[in-house]
Amino acid sequence: MLPIVFIHGTRVSGTMWSPVRARLDRPSAAPDLPGHGTRRGLPFDMGAACEVVADSIAELGGRALVVGHSLGGYVGIATAARHPELVAGLIAMGCTARPSGLAVGAFRLAGRLAVRHPALADRASRYGFRRALPGPVAEAFVEGGMSCEVVPSVIDAVASGDPIAALSAYPGRVWLLNGSRDHFRVDERRFLAACRDGSLTHLPRRDHITMLADPGQVARFVENAAENVAEDAARAVPVRA
């Protein structure tokens, strides 16, 4: 059975995926990226983040479906390009916007404020998640702690990458999943065109965070993708007489 590695977003931790993982009947992992959760305090960069994901895949047998949201989606794309032999398929959620000038500048300003006032930024993040998401889902987001001080290095890492080029380098199947109201879907058509074998799905009336409000819906999407990857692999194996 194909395992799944989930990658979390900025300033949260792998616990955000607990409600989705609980609905899946297959092996899975949700590691904390550098600077987040149990790895809080470690420097974040894209190379180190990809190695955390690669190590988790290795622990699950050496090949897995990778699922990432927001920062986790960008890390998933980078991991697929760097380690295509490990990534059996990729679901990239809420991460189809190219890093650009004004947007990066706004996020850098927010990151500097978070570093200056980390306790306030952490408290504001917890409040925001609890307002946007149903109770159990929100608590999963905040359970592993907030790490707002890591935001500047995350922005630098994402801004210095080229996710479209990374997608074009990955030969496997890619599912792009966005909320219909997500501001991070602005370049989704260019991301889709870069995929060698890609599809694009919208969750109606969902935004960047609320696309995860229904963990059952997300789990069904992930399960279907895992089954499709397994079917593709079975068809690719020649049958001996």
Side-chain angles (χ1 to χ4, degrees), residues 13-41:
S13 71
T15 64
M16 66 166 271
W17 290 109
S18 298
V20 176
R21 294 176 67 197
R23 288 164 170 79
L24 295 172
D25 187 23
R26 62 176 66 238
S28 68
D32 292 340
L33 297 175
H36 299 77
T38 57
R39 291 186 168 93
R40 189 172 188 176

Side-chain angles (χ1 to χ4, degrees), residues 36-129:
H36 299 77
T38 57
R39 291 186 168 93
R40 189 172 188 176
L42 295 178
F44 181 92
D45 65 72
M46 194 60 73
C50 290
E51 290 312 305
V52 166
V53 178
D55 289 344
S56 290
I57 296 173
E59 291 172 4
L60 288 173
R63 194 157 171 81
L65 174 68
V66 171
V67 181
H69 174 258
S70 193
L71 168 63
Y74 289 109
V75 173
I77 291 170
T79 303
R82 295 178 187 221
H83 302 287
E85 73 287 356
L86 302 180
V87 180
L90 172 67
I91 301 177
M93 305 170 61
C95 61
T96 51
R98 292 178 304 159
S100 59
L102 288 176
V104 171
F107 280 110
R108 282 198 170 119
L109 175 59
R112 287 196 294 270
L113 291 173
V115 170
R116 198 171 300 168
H117 307 285
L120 177 61
D122 289 354
R123 189 160 60 250
S125 292
R126 288 192 294 270
Y127 175 80
F129 289 131

Side-chain angles (χ1 to χ4, degrees), residues 96-100 164 176 178 183-193:
T96 51
R98 292 178 304 159
S100 59
I164 291 179
L176 303 176
N178 287 328
H183 54 285
F184 276 92
R185 55 171 286 212
V186 61
D187 296 309
E188 60 185 14
R189 292 293 169 182
R190 297 192 66 172
F191 277 66
L192 179 61

